[in-house]
């Protein structure tokens, strides 16, 4: 491969913070990943992360929005959702053993169960949650 050539492809989409935009985000992800064995997992992850942005941050306010980024390489599919902020705490996986009847807190836990890695970062007043799906199951083994 030429040193200035990359096999990674990146897409981005910004959506208004309306609930119906979650289905648009799912469809967008499904269309890009058509034919990939990880498409359904990616679609579910984007759905959960988009819904979390709308429900728990300023993204769901009247002028709110959320941004999706999708990067695909031969080794990994990375899905990121960036919210508009407005929360004092970073997104985190909730321990459902404490309250099995809770109506919230399951989304990021589900994402963590499906993805090989989940990273939460501060991002210009909000947060970006990135979920990675390794295309080869052994990729995560033996990494530093």
């Amino acid at each position: 491969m030429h040193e200035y050539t990359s096999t990674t492809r990146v897409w981005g989409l910004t959506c208004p913070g309306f609930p119906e935009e979650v289905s648009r985000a799912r469809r967008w992800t499904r269309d890009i990943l058509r034919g990939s064995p990880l498409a359904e997992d990616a679609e579910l992850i984007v759905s959960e992360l988009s819904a979390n942005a709308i429900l728990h941050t300023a993204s769901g306010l009247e002028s709110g929005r959320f941004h999706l980024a999708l990067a695909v390489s031969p080794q990994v599919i990375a899905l990121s959702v960036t919210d508009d902020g407005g929360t004092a705490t970073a997104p985190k996986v909730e321990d459902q053993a404490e309250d099995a009847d809770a109506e919230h807190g399951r989304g990021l836990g589900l994402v963590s169960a499906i993805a090989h890695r989940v990273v939460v970062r501060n991002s210009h007043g909000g947060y970006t949650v990135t979920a990675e799906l390794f295309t080869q199951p052994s990729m995560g083994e033996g990494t530093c």
Side-chain angles (χ1 to χ4, degrees), residues 16 30 89 95 115 140 144:
R30 184 176 54 243
T89 59
D95 181 11
C144 297

Side-chain angles (χ1 to χ4, degrees), residues 82-102:
T82 302
D83 63 48
D84 274 351
T87 61
T89 59
K92 66 180 180 191
V93 177
E94 299 288 335
D95 181 11
Q96 291 302 308
E98 292 177 17
D99 188 0
D101 295 327

